[in-house]
Amino acid sequence: MTEARTLDQTLPVHGRGQVGTAWWGMLCLFATEGILFGYLIFSYAYLGSQGYSDWPPSGPPALRLAIPATILLVGSSFVLEWARRNANRGNAGRGRIGLGITIAMGAGFMALSLKEWADKPFALADSSYSSIYFLLTGTHLAHVALGLAALIVLFAWSIAGRVGGGHEQHRALATLYWHFVDVVWLFVFLTIYVSPRMV
């Protein structure tokens, strides 16, 4: 009769380190969201190719707000990466400062985007262009808002002392998502603001 074996460790219910189950789940999310944005960008290109004489109706969108918004969002990725690396090295203070600056830069991007929406001479249902413009930029803005929510939670945890050593995965996932949001914006920016200036 064989002796019953007992497990000396309990089954882990979450990943450890920077790469785990959640990391792979995040990559799957990026794949599906990449397809979504690819579809929206294709829709923009398809509508623009249908012979509209006024595409965009009021000419290429102004860059007055879009360029500083882009600088804020892209720059925030570098700040967040700096914050993550410092936090992983045990420098919680610098990590917290970087997180706070990233949140402020992301909020600045949202404020400039909403200001641009308010300044538009058209509404969502006015034309094909207005519909795809608000849908594409609005979908991205929703992703920025979700990323900001994750960073705010991470910041609150840091203030409470709940994100220390062993929480590298939380920081890695939030940073990875924020980088994804920034890269997607570059494609949106090229589609909405640059491509009309190239025809």
Side-chain angles (χ1 to χ4, degrees), residues 23-39 143 176-177 180 184:
W23 188 83
W24 288 105
M26 186 68 79
L27 292 187
C28 291
L29 173 67
F30 294 163
T32 58
E33 296 303 279
I35 292 170
L36 169 64
F37 279 103
Y39 172 77
H143 284 71
L176 198 61
Y177 182 84
F180 170 77
V184 167

Side-chain angles (χ1 to χ4, degrees), residues 29-105:
L29 173 67
F30 294 163
T32 58
E33 296 303 279
I35 292 170
L36 169 64
F37 279 103
Y39 172 77
L40 292 174
I41 290 172
F42 172 80
S43 298
Y44 176 95
Y46 174 78
L47 290 171
S49 69
Q50 296 308 297
Y52 291 102
S53 58
D54 54 350
W55 187 272
S58 52
L63 298 172
R64 180 177 59 90
L65 297 176
I67 286 181
T70 301
I71 292 171
L72 278 175
L73 194 62
V74 173
S76 70
S77 264
F78 293 96
V79 176
L80 183 58
E81 185 62 27
W82 175 82
R84 183 189 68 82
R85 293 186 180 188
N86 274 282
N88 285 352
R89 294 189 192 109
N91 194 328
R94 285 187 177 182
R96 204 172 296 126
I97 290 171
L99 260 178
I101 294 173
T102 302
I103 291 168
M105 294 174 79

Side-chain angles (χ1 to χ4, degrees), residues 96-186:
R96 204 172 296 126
I97 290 171
L99 260 178
I101 294 173
T102 302
I103 291 168
M105 294 174 79
F109 172 85
M110 290 194 69
L112 289 174
S113 298
L114 293 174
K115 175 68 169 65
E116 183 165 2
W117 276 15
D119 291 346
K120 289 298 179 188
F122 49 77
L124 174 66
D126 284 357
S127 66
S128 298
Y129 176 81
S130 63
S131 296
I132 193 61
Y133 169 83
F134 282 114
L135 182 59
L136 181 52
T137 57
T139 302
H140 178 264
L141 206 56
H143 284 71
V144 173
L146 182 60
L148 274 178
L151 295 180
I152 289 170
V153 169
L154 201 60
F155 184 78
W157 284 355
S158 179
I159 293 291
R162 292 181 56 190
V163 182
H167 290 83
E168 294 88 355
Q169 189 179 81
H170 297 95
R171 291 188 286 268
L173 292 175
T175 303
L176 198 61
Y177 182 84
W178 194 252
H179 291 338
F180 170 77
V181 167
D182 290 1
V183 169
V184 167
W185 172 250
L186 293 178

